[in-house]
Amino acid sequence: ALLGVARRASVAWLDLKAVVRGRPIGLTHTVYPLPRLAGIGDAFLRTRSMTAALQALGVGDYTRRRSQLSARRATPDEA
């Protein structure tokens, strides 16, 4: 219910790594409803911007329903 989609609804789950000057600085996990935002992963790869990717799929403006921040040491696979 938090995402505003029905239980067991299809979603696109994106895991993104933020890199600055060749060094990883963060991981982002985002979820988007399908079929409304089908192609969000490809749009992000093309534009390298989540805002631009959403605009490419017809979303002119948006509000995050939830943001959660946490910190821990990166695993070797994440780094």
Side-chain angles (χ1 to χ4, degrees):
L2 179 64
L3 296 174
V5 297
R7 182 176 227 132
R8 300 195 192 282
S10 295
V11 296
W13 177 284
L14 301 182
D15 293 322
L16 307 171
K17 184 189 303 188
V19 178
V20 173
R21 295 185 187 126
R23 301 186 78 179
I25 62 163
L27 297 174
T28 303
H29 310 288
T30 57
V31 180
Y32 298 95
L34 294 175
R36 168 68 180 98
L37 294 174
I40 189 69
D42 291 334
F44 178 79
L45 289 174
R46 248 187 348 270
T47 64
R48 305 307 288 174
S49 159
M50 194 50 66
T51 299
L54 288 166
Q55 288 174 343
L57 297 175
V59 178
D61 194 15
Y62 65 95
T63 302
R64 287 181 184 89
R65 182 162 291 178
R66 178 180 177 188
S67 292
Q68 183 175 337
L69 180 68
S70 63
R72 62 173 171 73
R73 189 175 297 270
T75 67
D77 287 339
E78 293 168 342

